[in-house]
Amino acid sequence: MSEVSRRGFLVAGGTVAASAALIARGGQAPAQAAAMRRDAEEFDEHSYLAEYTVSFDGAHQAGISTPHQAHLNLVGFDFHAGASREDVQRLLKLWTSDARALCQGETPPGSLEPEMSASPANLTITCGIGPRVFEIIGEKRPGFLDPIPAFELDELEENWGQTDLVLQICGDDPTTVSHATRHMVRSSKTYVSTGWMQQGFLNAHGTSGESPTPRNLFGQLDGSVNPRGVEDFAEQVWIDDGPDWARDSTVMVVRRIRMNLDTWEELDRASRENAVGRRLDDGAPLSGGGEFDDIDLHATDDYGLPVIDRNSHAARAHPPAGHPEQRLLRRSYNYDLPPVPGDQLSNSGLVFICFQKDPHEQFVPIQKRLDERDLLNEWITHIGSAAYWIPPGVGRDRDAYWAQSLLE
Amino acid sequence: MSEVSRRGFLVAGGTVAASAALIARGGQAPAQAAAMRRDAEEFDEHSYLAEYTVSFDGAHQAGISTPHQAHLNLVGFDFHAGASREDVQRLLKLWTSDARALCQGETPPGSLEPEMSASPANLTITCGIGPRVFEIIGEKRPGFLDPIPAFELDELEENWGQTDLVLQICGDDPTTVSHATRHMVRSSKTYVSTGWMQQGFLNAHGTSGESPTPRNLFGQLDGSVNPRGVEDFAEQVWIDDGPDWARDSTVMVVRRIRMNLDTWEELDRASRENAVGRRLDDGAPLSGGGEFDDIDLHATDDYGLPVIDRNSHAARAHPPAGHPEQRLLRRSYNYDLPPVPGDQLSNSGLVFICFQKDPHEQFVPIQKRLDERDLLNEWITHIGSAAYWIPPGVGRDRDAYWAQSLLE
């Protein structure tokens, strides 16, 4: 009986799991594994864990240009009343040290659960700093953290609003992500309490069939126009001017977007594709080519009619002439809450996360156009909004901590 | 820069993802993959999908003896008022056909999202039938579905109680599991509405380090004493007497167990291990041997004191002399809800799921002993309870449907 041989494997196969897993990771994504191995060899002595490890140290924080992992816990935190500049400093030192250990598969100080952090499985922990922290530390708030303006169609819920800090915890093992979240929360309780936790998921192992781009719950490949390569990231994501402390940092905008699957799924496929401006199967623009080819907003069909609807999501999100800066890195995750019993069929959406140099030059003008006219607005509602400065990486200095150059 | 080469991979590597994924699955768990391939060759023409597919057809439903996948959506449903025997029959026919398609990576009728079900990733959908359905169809409720008695320490919440039906949807790709859940819910809305959805997770890929047993959020290997092999399953799980319609069926008990991480983590490791009666690192009984060796309740240390605390979880759960039938299959999943803002540090626990011939001979006497005295009770609370008859598998008949032998 096959069911028994499978269960039999579970016992017999236990001892080969470690070496077999190496093959698995290598087989699944050879170039990715090679890149990770390269990182790991520089910093990490755990050769067994190396294949699963994303380097924590570097010029930029991990979890931004890192290929998306399967799981997200995005946790917003608020400082207790009366927090001081020293508290901010102490917490960020503590968090940096704990995050480095967890992401390398080591046991952070104070943890009695070495088994729960032994398999990082591409764990990344990315720290962001909200506008109020600049008040607490007595520094001028940078312009890129000016409040995101309200948009006409927003239905923001206070539950999902701005917090003082955020941790973006991503990984390919849900138990590891859960434990890392738990550890970061418990180790910071002297200073902060949690405001919200936004849990999300994507296709397992970072792939979805033929395309590396994950699918959202409308079935769309989500993130096809993301930056690719050093130049794109330098242009769109990493801050390279302004004060010294901001160099190599970036800015995260989080929008919680409810998606109405019930009404969306009433559409036929042609209408769905028209609303997005792209094919559902392979993500290619309706104007032709492949997923990563440029969209042609001027393409017409045999009758001279535009192939891409001017109000489609892709057309409205596209940078207008003279504004090549209106691009950014999307790194969103799907969410699925239990439906309200007896009432809802689903309670799903997107934890939209994007990274950029300055939201007021990038996210805000794009979202303004989408808010004004985007066919997708019929089926989506923005219910949460927040923005965070993402300090630079800690380089290769083991004593460095997040936002050190701002705080010292 | 490594971050760019990784992202670069995402583009360049897209076209090799499909074939590489096969290697990954094969490399990760060769025996498991072989068992699945064997199943798949008998029924499934999609050789590409075969490696990812758990056979839907068979004497027993899938998702019971199947090695645990990483993700669970357990959904409880209630029939609309006035449901008839014919409604039950129609729904179960519909669900069987949809589940078979989804688990094989095919597109079920009525779905316009073929891409969302194309990668089953070990998807299983298991159907259970609650006590009230026997009223609806006008049949005598079998004794094994007599209500689970209340236990002294229970703090049951109505939200997590008995429903008319349950679907246990498990898989290794969270997006696939989400879509399968969505499809099963939408396709049944004429007949039922959702009562609750219990989402859960385990270590990714079905392994946790050296042991194949997954860890719960107390850091324990959970399920070490599970049945292994044909004889164990025949003795503990599959019903082989009583009415014909019950042959090869089983009974699921679901308990939602809140786990207080805050107070648990105040313990040192020796106290944690004493409470369980097993080592945290490898799950071996404190009396010695390996994870799968028998626990020795009579072992004493150099001072003549018992090595295994008589009130430890393992000691209390152990079948007493003369009651070898008090064993069952545990197939539980961890849960993690967002903590209540500003108040909780965590909101976590276990969706405890077990399978057996008769809960009143198996789960109930075990749980009665645990409820009376189990050191773990200090840190856990049972907050939900339900039981379901799990009909036999549909054999190899493509027209057969769940519970057909009861309904026709």
Side-chain angles (χ1 to χ4, degrees), chain A residues 156-223:
Chain A
L156 302 186
E157 298 171 6
E158 218 176 316
N159 294 349
W160 306 114
Q162 183 70 53
T163 59
D164 292 344
L165 295 165
V166 75
L167 290 177
Q168 175 197 276
I169 303 174
C170 295
D172 282 322
D173 186 306
T175 302
T176 300
V177 169
S178 167
H179 175 73
T181 304
R182 163 72 185 158
H183 181 82
M184 297 300 280
V185 168
R186 72 182 171 188
S187 75
S188 59
K189 66 182 179 184
T190 312
Y191 306 102
V192 292
S193 59
T194 59
W196 41 249
M197 174 156 83
Q198 306 199 41
Q199 299 173 301
F201 59 91
L202 292 172
N203 295 105
H205 315 143
T207 65
S208 61
E210 298 295 314
S211 168
T213 313
R215 287 193 190 272
N216 66 30
L217 298 180
F218 280 177
Q220 303 155 352
L221 295 176
D222 200 324

Side-chain angles (χ1 to χ4, degrees), chain B residues 97-99 101-102 105-114 117 179 183-184 186:
Chain B
S97 147
D98 283 357
L102 288 164
E106 293 166 4
T107 312
S111 166
L112 296 179
E113 298 87 26
S117 47
H179 176 73
H183 180 82
M184 297 299 281
R186 72 183 171 190

Side-chain angles (χ1 to χ4, degrees), chain B residues 106-130:
Chain B
E106 293 166 4
T107 312
S111 166
L112 296 179
E113 298 87 26
E115 298 88 359
M116 298 295 273
S117 47
S119 297
N122 295 321
L123 183 70
T124 57
I125 302 181
T126 313
C127 176
I129 292 189

Side-chain angles (χ1 to χ4, degrees), chain B residues 92-375:
Chain B
L92 292 175
K93 279 184 186 175
L94 186 68
W95 265 0
T96 307
S97 147
D98 283 357
R100 181 188 282 113
L102 288 164
C103 293
Q104 294 178 339
E106 293 166 4
T107 312
S111 166
L112 296 179
E113 298 87 26
E115 298 88 359
M116 298 295 273
S117 47
S119 297
N122 295 321
L123 183 70
T124 57
I125 302 181
T126 313
C127 176
I129 292 189
R132 204 176 72 92
V133 171
F134 287 86
E135 276 178 46
I136 294 174
I137 65 173
E139 302 280 352
K140 185 172 178 299
R141 188 183 67 206
F144 53 66
L145 277 193
D146 286 349
I148 304 289
F151 300 97
E152 198 70 33
L153 300 180
D154 282 0
E155 295 185 16
L156 303 185
E157 299 172 7
E158 217 176 318
N159 293 347
W160 306 114
Q162 184 68 54
T163 60
D164 292 344
L165 295 166
V166 75
L167 290 177
Q168 174 196 277
I169 304 174
C170 295
D172 282 321
D173 187 306
T175 301
T176 299
V177 170
S178 168
H179 176 73
T181 305
R182 164 70 184 159
H183 180 82
M184 297 299 281
V185 168
R186 72 183 171 190
S187 75
S188 59
K189 66 182 179 185
T190 312
Y191 306 102
V192 292
S193 59
T194 59
W196 42 249
M197 174 157 84
Q198 306 200 41
Q199 299 172 302
F201 59 90
L202 291 173
N203 294 106
H205 315 143
T207 66
S208 62
E210 297 296 314
S211 169
T213 313
R215 286 192 190 273
N216 66 29
L217 298 180
F218 280 176
Q220 303 155 352
L221 294 177
D222 200 325
S224 303
V225 296
N226 270 343
R228 300 190 291 277
V230 185
E231 281 180 32
D232 284 358
F233 272 83
E235 277 172 24
Q236 301 173 33
V237 178
W238 308 125
I239 295 176
D240 54 4
D241 57 6
D244 267 359
W245 54 259
R247 200 167 299 266
D248 288 324
S249 70
T250 183
V251 183
M252 171 199 275
V253 173
V254 182
R255 304 283 289 187
R256 191 169 178 90
I257 302 177
R258 192 190 290 140
M259 293 161 60
N260 190 333
L261 298 186
D262 298 344
T263 52
W264 172 257
E265 291 169 5
E266 288 169 2
L267 300 177
D268 58 26
R269 280 178 68 95
S271 306
R272 298 182 197 187
E273 292 181 335
N274 184 66
V276 185
R278 291 178 171 274
R279 293 164 54 107
L280 282 163
D281 56 357
D282 61 3
L286 293 182
S287 50
E291 180 191 351
F292 303 110
D293 288 327
D294 283 340
I295 192 165
D296 179 0
L297 297 174
H298 304 294
T300 51
D301 64 16
D302 294 346
Y303 305 97
L305 298 171
V307 173
I308 307 270
D309 193 309
R310 291 196 169 81
N311 293 332
S312 67
H313 185 77
R316 297 295 294 174
H318 195 267
H323 288 283
E325 78 285 359
Q326 289 186 16
R327 299 179 185 272
L328 40 71
L329 170 65
R330 291 160 182 79
R331 202 173 187 282
S332 307
Y333 279 80
N334 305 317
Y335 77 78
D336 233 1
L337 298 181
V340 174
D343 182 32
Q344 287 181 324
L345 289 183
S346 72
N347 188 355
S348 302
L350 195 70
V351 186
F352 173 89
I353 298 174
C354 66
F355 296 94
Q356 62 240 288
K357 293 179 174 193
D358 185 345
H360 299 281
E361 301 291 325
Q362 295 167 277
F363 172 76
V364 171
I366 299 170
Q367 181 54 30
K368 191 158 180 298
R369 277 200 306 281
L370 293 173
D371 183 68
E372 281 167 6
R373 272 199 307 280
D374 169 5
L375 289 174

Side-chain angles (χ1 to χ4, degrees), chain A residues 84-105:
Chain A
S84 67
R85 184 178 177 112
E86 286 66 38
D87 289 333
V88 175
Q89 215 165 354
R90 283 190 205 106
L91 174 61
L92 292 176
K93 279 184 186 174
L94 186 68
W95 266 358
T96 307
S97 148
D98 283 357
R100 180 189 283 114
L102 288 164
C103 293
Q104 294 178 340

Side-chain angles (χ1 to χ4, degrees), chain A residues 153 155 216-218 220 257-277 309 311-313 335 346 348-350 370 373-383, chain B residues 182:
Chain A
L153 300 180
E155 297 185 15
N216 66 30
L217 298 180
F218 280 177
Q220 303 155 352
I257 303 177
R258 192 190 291 141
M259 293 161 59
N260 190 331
L261 298 186
D262 298 344
T263 53
W264 172 257
E265 290 169 7
E266 288 170 3
L267 300 177
D268 59 26
R269 281 178 67 96
S271 305
R272 298 182 197 187
E273 292 181 335
N274 185 64
V276 185
D309 193 308
N311 293 333
S312 66
H313 185 76
Y335 77 78
S346 72
S348 302
L350 194 71
L370 294 172
R373 270 198 309 279
D374 169 6
L375 290 174
L376 274 189
N377 289 339
E378 180 78 20
W379 304 280
I380 66 175
T381 311
H382 287 240
I383 61 173
Chain B
R182 164 70 184 159

Side-chain angles (χ1 to χ4, degrees), chain A residues 245-264:
Chain A
W245 54 260
R247 197 165 302 265
D248 289 323
S249 70
T250 182
V251 182
M252 171 198 277
V253 173
V254 182
R255 304 283 289 187
R256 192 168 177 91
I257 303 177
R258 192 190 291 141
M259 293 161 59
N260 190 331
L261 298 186
D262 298 344
T263 53
W264 172 257

Side-chain angles (χ1 to χ4, degrees), chain A residues 122-163:
Chain A
N122 295 322
L123 182 70
T124 57
I125 302 180
T126 314
C127 176
I129 292 189
R132 205 177 71 93
V133 172
F134 287 87
E135 276 178 46
I136 294 173
I137 64 172
E139 301 279 351
K140 186 172 177 300
R141 187 182 69 206
F144 53 66
L145 277 193
D146 287 348
I148 304 288
F151 300 98
E152 198 69 34
L153 300 180
D154 283 359
E155 297 185 15
L156 302 186
E157 298 171 6
E158 218 176 316
N159 294 349
W160 306 114
Q162 183 70 53
T163 59

